[in-house]
Amino acid sequence: MGRYAKITGAGQYNPERLITNEEIDEMFGAGTGDMIFNYVGAKTRHVMSDDENTSDLAVKAAQTAIKNANISAVVIWIVRFPCKNSSVKKT
């Protein structure tokens, strides 16, 4: 019998903090929020708070995936966490 992998559940987590296109305008200049809306249709977006890391979001998403799969975390052999952002806070 060969080895195989199976996806049994998926999860996601959106940070609680929302920023609006008006806030984007304040940060990057007038019209930036409108440009974003025209390209992707987004009026708000979820962003991490200053005390959150990408790994914090991943843990919450993994907890949702485990619940959706109706399994125990102890049966998980490997977790893939591809991320281009570091989870290490710079001081």
Side-chain angles (χ1 to χ4, degrees):
M1 180 184 284
R3 291 184 171 196
Y4 68 94
K6 181 168 99 173
I7 298 172
T8 58
Q12 71 176 38
Y13 173 77
N14 294 319
E16 292 182 23
R17 182 175 169 217
L18 280 175
I19 61 171
T20 64
N21 287 348
E22 291 77 22
E23 291 173 278
I24 295 291
D25 283 342
E26 291 173 14
M27 289 186 277
F28 299 104
T32 306
D34 289 335
M35 182 184 68
I36 293 170
F37 178 76
N38 290 334
Y39 279 104
V40 296
K43 294 181 181 179
T44 60
R45 67 227 15 92
H46 295 268
V47 295
M48 293 188 306
S49 64
D50 292 337
D51 64 341
E52 287 180 306
N53 288 309
T54 51
S55 58
D56 298 324
L57 306 183
V59 166
K60 291 176 181 178
Q63 290 168 334
T64 301
I66 289 166
K67 181 179 177 184
N68 289 343
N70 197 29
I71 61 172
S72 169
V74 298
V75 302
I76 297 173
W77 183 57
I78 190 169
V79 174
R80 295 267 305 152
F81 179 59
C83 180
K84 70 178 192 171
N85 300 324
S86 174
S87 203
V88 177
K89 289 190 180 198
K90 295 180 177 149
T91 56

